Amino acid sequence: MGRPELVIFDCDGVLVDSEVIAVRVLVANLARHGLALTEADAHAMFVGGTMANNAEVARAAGADLGPDWVAGIYAEIYAALRDGTPVTKGVPELLDRLDTARVPYCVASNGSEEKMQITLGQTGLWHRFQGAVFSAHTLGVAKPDPRLFLTAAGDVPPETCVVIEDSPTGVRAAIAARMRCLAYAPEGDGVALAGLGAEVFTSMTDLPEMLHLTRA
């Protein structure tokens, strides 16, 4: 595959370093509901899933969660994200390269549009994705279902799209959509993602070459 016709970004953990914040809030919240987890445990159990599904996973693991838990945890996470969510190093420069190469891009997330407005808005990225934001909350279909990515692609053939992901859920959705998937694993823990069919990279500075943006 040469230069893509469309690049589809996941949001949390790819464009912004928000997952660390969300996991920390989740661990503290679940501890109050009778489920003690390390941040590593919570990351493995919950990252990439929808919050409704996370609630079921937590209940199955022993958490005593009420019917309003999802709304409550969202409020806690959003408040923490508003306090400061850093952009992933190298992302603004990568978007500049895509703009120069005239390669369109969008964001497709299992998170809500409100959450993306919070995280991308404070990092200066929100305006760069205007008209190109796809949320599972809005569309009613979430990863690993490939329809989120297929909807984001629109009329662009799937085989000409590249998805940038960081979770098994997202990788599965990209592969099911027949899209090339590049998996961001900055801590060097991408073996599982590679096993699902993704090409692993560890720095956003790796992407211009992988996306063939270095060619004239």
Side-chain angles (χ1 to χ4, degrees):
M1 179 181 179
R3 184 175 292 182
E5 293 186 18
L6 176 68
V7 177
I8 305 174
F9 289 93
D10 178 44
C11 186
D12 298 301
V14 173
L15 294 174
V16 289
D17 192 13
S18 53
E19 287 181 346
V20 172
I21 298 169
V23 166
R24 189 177 302 128
V25 172
L26 192 57
V27 167
N29 177 285
L30 291 175
R32 299 196 303 270
H33 290 87
L35 180 59
L37 297 172
T38 66
E39 291 185 12
D41 290 336
H43 190 280
M45 291 171 65
F46 302 122
V47 168
T50 64
M51 200 59 71
N53 183 69
N54 289 347
E56 295 309 309
V57 172
R59 289 188 179 102
D64 181 16
L65 306 182
D68 298 327
W69 180 81
V70 170
I73 191 62
Y74 272 135
E76 289 185 33
I77 290 173
Y78 291 177
L81 293 173
R82 286 189 182 95
D83 285 340
T85 305
V87 63
T88 301
K89 185 177 180 180
V91 163
E93 294 81 4
L94 173 61
L95 298 183
D96 289 342
R97 294 289 293 273
L98 290 169
D99 287 338
T100 298
R102 297 185 179 180
V103 175
Y105 49 85
C106 64
V107 56
S109 173
N110 273 358
S112 68
E113 189 166 318
E114 179 185 0
K115 184 181 182 182
M116 287 187 274
Q117 286 179 319
I118 293 169
T119 58
L120 300 180
Q122 65 184 265
T123 59
L125 298 182
W126 179 250
H127 73 281
R128 304 191 72 158
F129 288 91
Q130 288 299 297
V133 174
F134 299 88
S135 165
H137 288 225
T138 303
L139 297 174
V141 59
K143 309 168 198 176
D145 192 311
R147 286 178 291 172
L148 181 60
F149 288 144
L150 292 171
T151 300
D155 294 331
V156 180
E159 62 270 17
T160 68
C161 298
V162 172
V163 172
I164 313 298
E165 265 290 348
D166 73 321
S167 73
T169 301
V171 173
R172 290 189 183 98
I175 298 303
R178 295 178 290 109
M179 297 177 179
R180 182 187 180 200
C181 185
L182 307 183
Y184 181 48
E187 303 301 324
D189 55 352
V191 174
L193 300 178
L196 294 173
E199 300 168 51
V200 175
F201 68 100
T202 59
S203 171
M204 291 296 166
T205 59
D206 298 332
L207 285 182
E209 182 173 356
M210 297 178 78
L211 296 173
H212 302 284
L213 302 180
T214 57
R215 298 178 182 177

